[in-house]
Amino acid sequence: MKVLIEDYRYSPTDLPELKGIDPTELSGGQIKLPYVGYFHDGGMDETIFILPKVFIVGGKVFGRYEPELLLHIDKENEQLTDADHAFLFELSAWIYQAIALFCERHPENEITSHRELAGVIGQRRDGETTLLDLILALIRFGKEHQSLFTYIATIAHSGRHKIHWTKTIRTTSPVLQDGKPYYLKCKTKEKAINYDEELICLFYSTLDYLKQNYHFVAKRNLNYETECPHRIKNLIESGKGTRHLRQIRGKYFTDELVQLWHLLYAFYERAEAAAQGKAHDERLLVRNFNSVFEDMIDSLIGEKTPPSGLKKQKDGKIIDHIYQDRSLIGDGNIYFIGDSKYYKEDNAVGQLSRYKQFTYAKNVIQYHIDLFHEKAQTLRYRDELTEGYNPTPNFFIRGTIDEKDLSYSEHKLTRYQEDEKKCSNKHFENRLFDRDTLLVLTYEINFLYVLSAYVLSHGFGSSTDSFLRERFREDVIKAFEELYHFYELWPEASAEKKKDFVEKHFKRLLGKIYQTEDETLILALKKQDDTVMDKSILDLIPEDQRKDYPLS
């Protein structure tokens, strides 16, 4: 087993030959592989995993290993512990399953599909399984059926060592001591061959063999005696594994054991073909892993079927992530716009990406303004009284690795602190409710968390949706409250009095004021050193007719 890293600069002599996959030649004689995924060389019977470049931290894989160290992962590699071996296989399997799920979610049924844009290559056709699929299925079966195996062992061993007194007395002679007979060779009850147990012993022996070759963690069931890995290797190389399974095929009737028999037979059939040099190469690789990462994020937070014209905009631009959630101000809903970034460790979001993100937001606003003019508006983007615009939440999200804690369960969502000038767009100062005043935040999230959540959720409907969305909303509110002070004006006044106030001071209030659907009048003034920049606006409102307005 070998582990390579996407886009890492290798010496040509270090890389194995990957048939049909051409590396990119670099200056200085080095080469790199612009792929992520799985490759199994049928002729050499060798498995190769290519991991995403995001795992390079400080020039090392996870900040721990030199990439060249992972070119040969075996028990003789003293620099890698058993835990290292298990983690690398588990991670490689997660990546493989993510690419496979991506292919399922984006079949080639369009002229230019998401799958085609990702540059997926391989021989994994519909209904076809790879050797890795079979290995993962066996591991999964073991985890899901522990109680079944324990039950079968309990039934099989019950009474096995109980003494058969009738047979003992009839066939053996006792030793007399103090007038009492003592039987030194007792006869126990014998049982017929237990074929259920035979199949399960073969299953656990196979797991031991795979553990030695792929280094995954597998719990042993102490109720069963297993064969040594080299005995399983001999079964594969001699072709006796499938022959033995065919001989005992008719002994199983329960659904679980029939399923186990089919899994084992499929594995031995594939492994024997590889041992005899008859197996074809297997590969499931993606050239543009950024498309897979985008789909991973979108499956967690994106809206499955947004209205036509929102995600795929009229000017040809396509938003990575868009979903409807509670507005930052008022009780209505608004669209949140996100863009996922798949970068190397030191790369940062550039100005070009920010300009694109601002354009996405402007297009979404215009989409709803068009609906407003057509009297078909569903979400409230502009208030007619104040001509103020509801702020549109906008953010980037990039996957990162915490080399000190390689956890799959912790999201570690962190807002990246940036200077306001870099992350904002405006035509006028101190006008939050102007349609051209936009703010885009940048987040980092644990790549391993996104990866596992994506595979386990099998697409949309993950339980992480509401949590992540709520976190984004809270952070956008916090960002606005850091920049602006919000007031509710004339809280007890009539709608007519509020209208008179707005119309009288319209020019001074334009872009600074917004009325919600429930006719709450909100004023937002830019802060400077924790005080508002334009205090003259406050002079227009008596103190008893204004109060702080917390966003929620």
Side-chain angles (χ1 to χ4, degrees):
M1 175 174 152
K2 298 181 186 295
V3 173
L4 309 177
I5 305 297
E6 173 197 20
D7 283 351
Y8 182 76
R9 294 171 173 263
Y10 289 98
S11 168
T13 57
D14 288 339
L15 283 186
E17 180 184 357
L18 302 178
K19 301 170 187 176
I21 300 174
D22 297 323
T24 302
E25 296 183 5
L26 306 171
S27 59
Q30 294 178 309
I31 58 176
K32 68 177 182 179
L33 288 169
Y35 299 97
V36 173
Y38 159 81
F39 183 92
H40 183 80
D41 188 325
M44 299 292 292
D45 194 19
E46 183 169 48
T47 299
I48 298 167
F49 294 105
I50 307 175
L51 300 183
K53 60 190 175 186
V54 71
F55 295 135
I56 294 287
V57 180
K60 296 183 177 181
V61 184
F62 312 113
R64 304 178 183 184
Y65 321 111
E66 294 292 342
E68 289 78 7
L69 176 66
L70 306 184
L71 290 172
H72 300 284
I73 299 181
D74 49 45
K75 290 296 183 181
E76 285 69 39
N77 192 332
E78 296 179 355
Q79 298 182 60
L80 295 175
T81 65
D82 289 342
D84 293 332
H85 285 130
F87 176 79
L88 287 168
F89 174 76
E90 181 183 27
L91 173 60
S92 301
W94 281 116
I95 295 293
Y96 171 83
Q97 292 175 89
I99 296 174
L101 178 57
F102 174 82
C103 291
E104 292 175 14
R105 283 168 49 84
H106 300 282
E108 297 180 41
N109 55 7
E110 299 178 8
I111 295 175
T112 304
S113 70
H114 202 151
R115 183 179 187 276
E116 290 172 323
L117 291 173
V120 177
I121 61 173
Q123 298 173 351
R124 192 178 188 271
R125 296 177 288 273
D126 291 342
E128 184 180 28
T129 55
T130 65
L131 180 62
L132 184 56
D133 286 324
L134 297 172
I135 293 171
L136 295 176
L138 287 169
I139 296 172
R140 189 162 51 247
F141 190 93
K143 290 179 179 178
E144 294 174 353
H145 294 85
Q146 282 294 321
S147 58
L148 171 69
F149 295 152
T150 302
Y151 173 75
I152 291 174
T154 302
I155 296 300
H157 288 261
S158 61
R160 175 166 288 184
H161 300 295
K162 189 175 182 180
I163 297 174
H164 195 310
W165 285 112
T166 301
K167 192 173 183 179
T168 299
I169 293 171
R170 188 174 66 245
T171 59
T172 62
S173 299
V175 175
L176 296 176
Q177 186 174 353
D178 298 331
K180 295 180 180 180
Y182 289 89
Y183 291 88
L184 302 181
K185 295 183 179 181
C186 296
K187 300 293 183 178
T188 58
K189 291 186 177 182
E190 296 179 356
K191 284 184 173 285
I193 297 174
N194 189 304
Y195 288 101
D196 288 356
E197 191 170 88
E198 184 178 5
L199 183 69
I200 297 172
C201 287
L202 178 61
F203 167 68
Y204 277 112
S205 300
T206 304
L207 284 187
D208 287 345
Y209 166 77
L210 292 173
K211 179 181 178 182
Q212 186 180 75
N213 285 270
Y214 291 90
H215 316 290
F216 59 81
V217 176
K219 290 184 179 180
R220 291 289 305 275
N221 192 317
L222 300 179
N223 295 304
Y224 299 96
E225 296 181 3
T226 58
E227 298 285 353
C228 297
H230 76 269
R231 294 288 300 275
I232 300 300
K233 183 179 179 180
N234 290 338
L235 277 181
I236 291 172
E237 292 177 347
S238 64
K240 293 179 180 179
T242 52
R243 269 182 278 168
H244 177 63
L245 283 164
R246 284 195 295 269
Q247 290 171 357
I248 62 175
R249 169 63 185 90
K251 308 297 182 181
Y252 308 105
F253 302 100
T254 61
D255 291 342
E256 292 89 349
L257 293 179
V258 170
Q259 180 187 357
L260 177 58
W261 185 93
H262 281 291
L263 282 176
L264 284 170
Y265 189 84
F267 167 75
Y268 276 94
E269 186 177 43
R270 186 67 57 87
E272 288 171 8
Q276 297 166 15
K278 297 178 181 179
H280 60 70
D281 294 339
E282 298 174 345
R283 51 187 175 175
L284 186 62
L285 300 165
V286 58
R287 188 179 181 88
N288 298 312
F289 191 76
N290 57 299
S291 295
V292 181
F293 180 68
E294 175 189 324
D295 197 56
M296 289 161 59
I297 295 292
D298 204 47
S299 74
L300 297 182
I301 64 172
E303 193 165 304
K304 188 173 183 180
T305 55
S308 175
L310 273 183
K311 190 173 180 69
K312 295 182 179 180
Q313 300 181 338
K314 292 181 180 179
D315 59 1
K317 293 180 174 62
I318 301 177
I319 298 177
D320 283 1
H321 320 294
I322 186 167
Y323 62 89
Q324 199 177 138
D325 203 351
R326 287 188 299 146
S327 171
L328 308 179
I329 297 175
D331 296 327
N333 279 8
I334 201 166
Y335 276 102
F336 284 62
I337 302 169
D339 189 74
S340 51
K341 294 298 179 187
Y342 174 67
Y343 287 150
K344 288 184 178 179
E345 176 190 12
D346 297 328
N347 290 12
V349 176
Q351 281 300 104
L352 179 60
S353 294
R354 290 191 175 90
Y355 290 144
K356 287 182 178 179
Q357 203 66 12
F358 293 140
T359 302
Y360 296 153
K362 291 176 182 179
N363 287 347
V364 170
I365 293 170
Q366 187 60 51
Y367 174 91
H368 286 89
I369 297 303
D370 291 342
L371 291 178
F372 173 81
H373 291 312
E374 297 169 5
K375 309 299 182 182
Q377 185 178 16
T378 55
L379 301 184
R380 195 169 187 268
Y381 270 75
R382 188 179 73 180
D383 165 43
E384 286 191 82
L385 173 64
T386 64
E387 295 189 13
Y389 286 81
N390 197 348
T392 297
N394 209 336
F395 60 89
F396 294 109
I397 183 167
R398 60 178 297 179
T400 58
I401 294 297
D402 180 0
E403 69 275 18
K404 297 179 181 178
D405 180 21
L406 297 173
S407 167
Y408 289 91
S409 59
E410 299 294 328
H411 60 80
K412 301 178 184 177
L413 186 68
T414 306
R415 177 186 158 200
Y416 184 72
Q417 298 297 326
E418 294 179 290
D419 183 75
E420 183 199 350
K421 292 181 180 179
K422 289 185 177 181
C423 60
S424 64
N425 175 86
K426 56 182 175 290
H427 280 186
F428 301 97
E429 192 66 57
N430 198 15
R431 288 192 184 180
L432 173 61
F433 301 119
D434 183 84
R435 68 175 294 165
D436 292 308
T437 299
L438 299 166
L439 183 69
V440 57
L441 306 183
T442 301
Y443 287 91
E444 294 180 348
I445 191 169
N446 180 10
F447 182 93
L448 297 177
Y449 172 83
V450 176
L451 175 65
S452 62
Y454 178 68
V455 173
L456 294 175
S457 70
H458 296 287
F460 289 96
S462 168
S463 60
T464 58
D465 286 5
S466 57
F467 161 73
L468 290 176
R469 289 181 178 183
E470 187 61 31
R471 176 63 185 274
F472 289 134
R473 185 176 181 276
E474 290 173 359
D475 277 4
V476 174
I477 286 175
K478 183 178 179 181
F480 278 122
E481 288 184 330
E482 289 171 357
L483 297 173
Y484 294 87
H485 197 114
F486 293 88
Y487 302 90
E488 180 182 352
L489 306 183
W490 308 100
E492 305 299 331
S494 65
E496 192 63 32
K497 187 168 185 178
K498 292 178 183 179
K499 180 180 178 182
D500 291 342
F501 171 76
V502 171
E503 290 179 347
K504 182 178 179 180
H505 303 287
F506 183 78
K507 187 172 182 180
R508 293 189 65 184
L509 296 174
L510 183 62
K512 298 180 177 67
I513 199 165
Y514 178 82
Q515 183 173 250
T516 65
E517 292 179 75
D518 63 357
E519 298 185 346
T520 301
L521 201 57
I522 308 300
L523 172 69
L525 294 177
K526 189 77 177 290
K527 290 181 182 179
Q528 190 173 40
D529 299 326
D530 292 329
T531 60
V532 297
M533 291 174 60
D534 189 357
K535 293 184 178 180
S536 65
I537 295 290
L538 295 178
D539 295 336
L540 301 175
I541 309 108
E543 283 193 36
D544 64 340
Q545 294 300 317
R546 67 175 190 261
K547 63 180 181 180
D548 291 345
Y549 180 82
L551 302 182
S552 60

